[in-house]
Amino acid sequence: MSKVIDLKGSILSLTILNIYSDDIQQVKLEINEKVEQAPSFFSGIPVVIEPKVSLVDPTFLALLVEFLYQLQMIPIGVRSEDPGIQDQAEYAGLALFPPQEHKARHKTVPEELKEDMPSEIGALVIKHNVRSGQQVYAKGRDLIVLGSINPGAEVVADGHVHVFGKARGKIFAGAAGYADAKIFASHLNPEMVCIAGMYQLSEDIDDKAKEGFVEVALKDNKLVFNSKILG
Amino acid sequence: MSKVVVVTSGKGGVGKTTTSASISTGLALKGYKVAVIDFDVGLRNLDLIMGCERRVVYDFVNVVQGEASLKQALIKDKRVPSLFILAASQTRDKDALTKEGVGKVIEDLKADGFDYIVCDSPAGIEKGAQLALYFADEAIIVTNPEVSSVRDSDRILGILQAKSKRAEEGEDPIVEHLVITRYNPARVEAGEMLSVDDVIDLLSVPFLGVIPESEQVLNASNSGLPVILETESDAAEAYEDVVARFLGEEREQRFLTEEKKGLFKKLFGR
C-alpha cells in the first residue's frame, strides 16, 4: 500500500520581519521602501513577524498581514512572548512560534560553565577503575581518577584530567572547548587523548611519552607530550 | 547464611558452564548444600555437563512462571549428595525470565537452607546475563588469556558494579573473584597468550587460579562429568584449588609454568 500522508519534523529557514514601531503607517512605509528595491525577491516568501515593541493598536497585526499579502508576501506566523500580541496573532490566523532560545553558550570560556553549576566545586574524584564500556564525565570541572582507565573506557572532563592508575582508555580534557586543559598521567598508554577537540591516537603517540609521568597539553593546535615536567 | 554466586564472563565459550559445574560440585563435596542454576535459557548446557539431561522434567522457567514447584524442578545429583541442579528450558527464550520471578526462586532456595546458589550466566551483557548477576553476593569472573575475553570480562565487571541489586540498593559491592581458564603456559611463553600477570594487571580482581588447557576438560564434558570429579587430572586439581581458595584457604598457585618433561617422559614420549 502506498503512503497517502506522512508527518515529519523539519528545520526550515524563514525570513523574520522585526517590527520596532507600533505605528502601522510608518511600518507600511518602511516595508514598501524595502520591497521596491527588489520586488521579485519578496514575492511569495513566507514571513514570520517578530514585534520588538508592544502593539497597542489591536488591529495592528491584522492590518500588517493584509498589507503583506498585497505585496505578495505570505505571513505565516508571529514570534513573541507578549500575550497581547499572541492574542492578535490568533485572531489574524497566524501561527505562534516560540521565542528564540538564548544564544548557544560560548564554548571556550570556562567561567560560564562554572556559572552553570555553582554547586559543583572542585574536581570529580573517581576512586575505582573505569572499566571497558563505562563513561565518566566531569561537567564543568576537573576529573581525578585514582584507579586505572581500562581499554574501552572513556573519561571526559571540561577541565583537566588526572590519572593515578594506568591510563589505557580514551581521555578527553577540555571537552567543552577549554584549550588550556591538560592531561596528567603516571602511566599513559591510551587509545586516544583529546584536548579541546584536538586528538591523537595511540599509534601516533611517541613511545617515550608512554613511560613514566607525562603531561599532555595543547600548544599551537598540536598536542604536546611533556615527560620532564617533574624535573 | 546463603550466598548467591554468579559465574560470568561476558564472552561466550570461555568455560563458564564448565566452571559452574566444577565449582558447585567442589562446594558440595566440601559438605555445603549447593544449588546450581542454568540461566542460559534456550541453550541448555549445564544439565549436559552435569550428566543429568535425561532427568529434566521441570526447568527454571517453569518455576519462575509458577508452573512447577522448586521441589519438582530441582534435580538431585547422583554422585554428590547435597548438590542440586536447576536446568534451563530449551523451548523458551530469555524473555521468559523476570526479575521478580528469579528473585522469588532465589529467596525460596535461601529459605530451603542452601548454602550456595551458583548462577551460571549466559554469554553477553544483555538481559539474561544481567538477571544472572542481579542477585549475586559474589562473582566468579571466567576469562581466557586473550585480549577479547579479558576486555569482555572488564565490561561485565563494570556492569556488576553498576547494575546489580547490591549496587542499586547501595549495599556493599559484590565480592569479585577471577578464574583464568584454558591457560597454556607454553603458549604464554611463546607470546601467543596473555600471562596471568597481564590479565590481573588489567582486571585488578582477586585471583583464584588458573585452569590449565587440557583435553580432559572436553572429555569430561562430553561424558557428562564435572571435570573436578575426573580425579588425577590437572584440571580437577586446579578446580579443587580454586574452590579451596574461594572458601578462603591459602594455597600456592599451580599450573602457571610449563611442566618440564623429565628424562623418563622424554624417552617414552609421555
Side-chain angles (χ1 to χ4, degrees):
Chain A
M1 208 183 97
S2 64
K3 245 187 251 177
V4 180
I5 64 154
D6 201 3
L7 279 173
K8 269 187 184 161
S10 179
I11 296 169
L12 304 169
S13 166
L14 293 171
T15 304
I16 302 281
L17 174 63
N18 286 322
I19 309 282
Y20 298 99
S21 161
D22 62 351
D23 180 347
I24 185 73
Q25 294 310 326
Q26 200 185 345
V27 170
K28 279 184 178 177
L29 213 67
E30 292 253 337
I31 292 173
N32 223 348
E33 229 167 80
K34 272 267 186 300
V35 173
E36 271 175 5
Q37 289 171 10
S40 60
F41 177 78
F42 290 98
S43 166
I45 64 162
V47 173
V48 175
I49 303 160
E50 185 165 353
K52 300 287 192 188
V53 290
S54 58
L55 305 174
V56 188
D57 177 1
T59 60
F60 183 96
L61 271 184
L63 291 170
L64 181 62
V65 165
E66 183 58 33
F67 181 69
L68 290 172
Y69 274 125
Q70 283 172 19
L71 294 173
Q72 287 170 358
M73 284 188 256
I74 305 169
I76 58 167
V78 169
R79 187 158 74 181
S80 172
E81 275 180 290
D82 185 327
I85 293 172
Q86 290 181 352
D87 281 350
Q88 281 194 40
E90 212 176 319
Y91 193 71
L94 292 170
L96 277 178
F97 288 88
Q100 193 170 20
E101 306 263 316
H102 290 290
K103 282 250 155 51
R105 228 185 281 124
H106 190 253
K107 281 184 170 175
T108 50
V109 186
E111 276 78 15
E112 286 206 6
L113 289 168
K114 274 184 211 153
E115 272 176 19
D116 200 26
M117 32 185 57
S119 61
E120 308 265 23
I121 296 168
L124 173 64
V125 182
I126 304 290
K127 290 183 180 149
H128 49 79
N129 289 0
V130 187
R131 298 191 178 274
S132 174
Q134 292 183 323
Q135 279 182 318
V136 174
Y137 177 29
K139 186 173 165 56
R141 50 183 175 158
D142 288 3
L143 174 65
I144 298 174
V145 182
L146 300 182
S148 294
I149 300 164
N150 282 357
E154 274 182 29
V155 299
V156 184
D158 290 341
H160 310 295
V161 178
H162 313 250
V163 189
F164 287 78
K166 290 174 180 169
R168 289 182 279 212
K170 292 184 178 150
I171 305 164
F172 299 80
Y178 179 47
D180 285 338
K182 291 178 179 65
I183 296 167
F184 302 95
S186 46
H187 297 89
L188 186 76
N189 190 3
E191 293 169 331
M192 180 200 277
V193 284
C194 176
I195 295 175
M198 294 299 299
Y199 70 91
Q200 208 155 328
L201 293 174
S202 176
E203 55 190 23
D204 303 324
I205 299 172
D206 192 347
D207 281 343
K208 273 184 207 155
K210 296 175 182 172
E211 294 162 11
F213 187 86
V214 67
E215 174 209 71
V216 190
L218 188 63
K219 265 188 199 135
D220 305 326
N221 275 334
K222 258 185 171 168
L223 292 183
V224 182
F225 295 79
N226 183 358
S227 21
K228 297 208 173 78
I229 185 154
L230 293 186
Chain B
M1 192 34 206
S2 331
K3 271 189 183 156
V4 181
V5 182
V6 61
V7 178
T8 188
S9 69
K11 194 175 190 305
V14 297
K16 279 184 297 298
T17 302
T18 301
T19 300
S20 299
S22 281
I23 286 182
S24 50
T25 305
L27 287 168
L29 283 171
K30 297 254 181 196
Y32 293 103
K33 191 175 176 190
V34 181
V36 54
I37 309 176
D38 190 349
F39 272 76
D40 204 350
V41 177
L43 299 163
R44 324 194 309 210
N45 262 317
L46 184 68
D47 50 341
L48 293 170
I49 289 184
M50 301 290 289
C52 65
E53 81 275 13
R54 288 164 191 277
R55 296 163 57 212
V56 178
V57 181
Y58 293 108
D59 55 49
F60 186 30
V61 172
N62 293 135
V63 182
V64 165
Q65 302 203 331
E67 296 156 1
S69 70
L70 253 185
K71 212 172 209 160
Q72 286 174 308
L74 281 172
I75 302 163
K76 193 174 184 315
D77 191 78
K78 282 194 168 164
R79 294 166 289 238
V80 188
S82 80
L83 177 60
F84 295 82
I85 300 121
L86 197 48
S89 169
Q90 227 163 3
T91 50
R92 308 289 186 85
D93 59 35
K94 292 176 183 71
D95 293 333
L97 296 180
T98 60
K99 202 180 264 183
E100 297 71 31
V102 172
K104 172 93 175 36
V105 171
I106 285 175
E107 281 312 308
D108 290 352
L109 286 169
K110 284 181 178 174
D112 255 3
F114 280 93
D115 299 304
Y116 287 98
I117 299 155
V118 177
C119 304
D120 179 22
S121 171
I125 54 171
E126 284 81 28
K127 191 186 169 195
Q130 293 194 13
L131 265 180
L133 65 80
Y134 186 74
F135 296 95
D137 301 307
E138 304 206 13
I140 295 174
I141 311 296
V142 182
T143 294
N144 287 167
E146 45 112 2
V147 174
S148 66
S149 172
V150 173
R151 183 75 68 89
D152 290 356
S153 294
D154 196 37
R155 187 93 162 80
I156 204 85
L157 279 161
I159 292 172
L160 270 177
Q161 289 158 1
K163 296 201 173 161
S164 65
K165 185 162 177 279
R166 281 176 170 270
E168 281 180 7
E169 294 179 2
E171 293 172 37
D172 291 341
I174 294 176
V175 179
E176 298 158 352
H177 308 273
L178 178 66
V179 172
I180 302 177
T181 53
R182 300 230 173 111
Y183 197 72
N184 185 333
R187 294 186 61 192
V188 171
E189 262 168 53
E192 296 166 7
M193 273 186 178
L194 294 175
S195 72
V196 164
D197 291 339
D198 292 338
V199 178
I200 296 174
D201 178 48
L202 203 93
L203 295 179
S204 40
V205 169
F207 176 53
L208 286 181
V210 297
I211 309 302
E213 186 175 47
S214 90
E215 274 181 29
Q216 297 148 342
V217 175
L218 188 67
N219 293 341
S221 296
N222 285 338
S223 53
L225 186 74
V227 69
I228 196 168
L229 293 174
E230 193 79 79
T231 39
E232 290 176 24
S233 73
D234 284 355
E237 287 184 30
Y239 271 120
E240 220 272 305
D241 282 358
V242 162
V243 170
R245 290 187 200 110
F246 176 77
L247 292 169
E249 203 178 303
E250 292 270 339
R251 283 200 186 180
E252 208 180 318
Q253 292 291 345
R254 295 195 282 170
F255 312 109
L256 295 182
T257 49
E258 197 177 0
E259 203 182 317
K260 294 278 176 280
K261 280 190 179 175
L263 182 65
F264 186 80
K265 275 189 179 171
K266 269 185 191 158
L267 282 176
F268 295 95
R270 186 180 159 121

